[in-house]
Amino acid sequence: MTDNSAGQTRRSRRRRPDGHQLSGPQPDVAGAAGHLDHPPRVGFFTDTSVCIGCKACEVACKEWNAVPEDGLQLTGMSYDNTQGLGADTWRHVAFIEQRKPLGGQEPGFAHENVDVFDAARRLGSSPSSPGPGATAPAPDAAPTGAPAGEISPLRPDGRTELRWLMSSDVCKHCTHAACLDVCPTGSLFRTEFGTVVVQEDICNGCGYCVPACPYGVIDLREGDGRAWKCTLCYDRLGVGAEPACAKACPTDSIQFGPLEELRERGAGRVAQLHANGVTDARLYGENPDDGVGGDGAFFLLLDEPEVYGLPPDPVVTTRDLPDMWRHAAMAAASLAALAVASFVKGGGRRQR
């Protein structure tokens, strides 16, 4: 095949993205970006109710994508040692401790005939339980100075039930991606899978994408100056492999597949949790009618989005660009008209 014919073939597979919108539902994001023949849109469904905080996803992401080490510094507020998403952290597992019972939440794997909470309450309280002797007080005996029903500021003995909320956060691969809309070099692009990827060799480090992201995901790498974020393992998708983080997740908290399929699966999981008494369970980011047109990576949460550090009602930051440009044009036209009127009026005075 000649170079000319190859170029014609590539052009025939793409079209001008006349269907691109800045907000609202967009059923075919890859088609709107110019991909004629493309596979179904894929993404992530993260079921935080079965996340165990192992951080296997963080490690797998770093190893596969050669993401630099980012310090591993504890925040002082939890056991989290990666703090948040950034240029050197494309997957971030949040640790949130709450003084609330688990309710009817079920673990990812069944442990039949084992009452793990009863076993935990008996730890160290009898010679038959783990620990060197019966050194711990009875579970219902709070230490001196411990408020009833609360955790002692000094010792964990006598505390009520706790729960850990753990969630593996990632780039949302938004339907309407403001980072992509504001990129002046075309470094950010929409793939045939509907995902959003940064081409680091084209990025000029302008940083426009950083404030444009409503989730605070994308960032400039220190010492490098270019923008980096999750690619949803675009290189793996091209050969039919699932992303490294989903492959490494031991509890299937991170699930990968066609987005519509994942949305159905997520709705079913929420219904299951509600039936089990976990009434706070909800989906976040799956709705095509939300402020970003729905996310390519959405979550099942067990509390309000703010608890996980997520915006409660994200809106694509470029949604109002047409109105802004329209108002700017009207203001410019008004100034031009005033300038012309002043010039004409001044010329008439000189003639007199």
Side-chain angles (χ1 to χ4, degrees):
M1 183 181 291
T2 64
D3 290 344
N4 186 46
S5 61
Q8 289 177 345
T9 302
R10 284 193 295 272
R11 285 192 295 272
S12 69
R13 293 176 183 164
R14 299 181 62 83
R15 62 181 172 83
R16 188 172 171 231
D18 295 323
H20 181 69
Q21 308 172 100
L22 291 175
S23 63
Q26 175 57 269
D28 185 9
V29 292
H35 299 280
L36 278 181
D37 302 317
H38 59 83
R41 185 181 181 185
V42 297
F44 288 128
F45 164 47
T46 302
D47 182 352
T48 69
S49 70
V50 295
C51 178
I52 60 175
C54 67
K55 290 184 176 275
C57 54
E58 287 191 15
V59 175
C61 176
K62 281 184 174 291
E63 287 188 345
W64 180 262
N65 296 290
V67 180
E69 191 268 330
D70 49 358
L72 300 178
Q73 297 179 350
L74 291 169
T75 63
M77 302 297 293
S78 76
Y79 289 105
D80 179 15
N81 62 358
T82 45
Q83 304 185 24
L85 294 174
D88 294 334
T89 304
W90 299 0
R91 268 278 180 190
H92 167 240
V93 179
F95 287 71
I96 303 149
E97 188 180 73
Q98 290 187 324
R99 300 178 186 182
K100 293 178 66 175
L102 288 170
Q105 180 181 341
E106 292 182 337
F109 296 102
H111 296 278
E112 296 180 1
N113 303 320
V114 176
D115 187 343
V116 293
F117 295 109
D118 180 63
R121 282 192 292 268
R122 290 186 288 103
L123 284 175
S125 62
S126 68
S128 61
S129 65
T135 56
D140 56 349
T144 304
E150 295 188 16
I151 301 173
S152 165
L154 301 177
R155 299 167 60 190
D157 306 317
R159 63 186 179 187
T160 57
E161 275 192 289
L162 288 174
R163 71 171 182 176
W164 280 96
L165 297 183
M166 298 174 181
S167 173
S168 181
D169 198 8
V170 72
C171 172
K172 314 306 182 290
H173 295 274
C174 308
T175 295
H176 298 292
C179 60
L180 189 156
D181 290 335
V182 302
C183 180
T185 65
S187 171
L188 282 139
F189 75 102
R190 180 83 62 178
T191 75
E192 66 271 29
F193 301 103
T195 59
V196 179
V197 173
V198 182
Q199 300 173 97
E200 64 274 7
D201 57 331
I202 300 177
C203 178
N204 67 355
C206 68
Y208 293 165
C209 55
V210 176
C213 176
Y215 297 102
V217 168
I218 196 165
D219 197 11
L220 302 182
R221 181 170 293 170
E222 197 172 328
D224 178 286
R226 295 174 295 176
W228 301 81
K229 73 171 191 68
C230 162
T231 68
L232 219 148
C233 286
Y234 182 44
D235 52 344
R236 293 174 65 94
L237 300 188
V239 295
E242 66 179 326
C245 57
K247 183 75 173 176
C249 182
T251 64
D252 278 340
S253 172
I254 302 171
Q255 301 175 34
F256 165 78
L259 193 56
E260 289 303 318
E261 216 175 273
L262 293 177
R263 285 172 175 165
E264 293 179 10
R265 195 181 304 171
R269 177 61 176 158
V270 168
Q272 179 188 9
L273 288 172
H274 285 178
N276 291 336
V278 189
T279 56
D280 287 339
R282 74 206 63 194
L283 292 181
Y284 176 85
E286 93 296 349
N287 188 358
D289 294 316
D290 68 14
V292 295
D295 292 323
F298 66 99
F299 303 79
L300 186 155
L301 304 180
L302 298 177
D303 210 325
E304 298 289 343
E306 300 95 315
V307 172
Y308 297 84
L310 296 167
D313 188 19
V315 175
V316 58
T317 51
T318 52
R319 180 187 62 179
D320 298 323
L321 275 180
D323 287 337
M324 292 168 63
W325 283 112
R326 191 178 304 113
H327 293 152
M330 291 172 61
S334 299
L335 288 174
L338 286 172
V340 170
S342 299
F343 178 78
V344 171
K345 189 175 181 180
R349 286 176 179 172
R350 284 193 297 272
Q351 287 178 358
R352 287 195 297 269

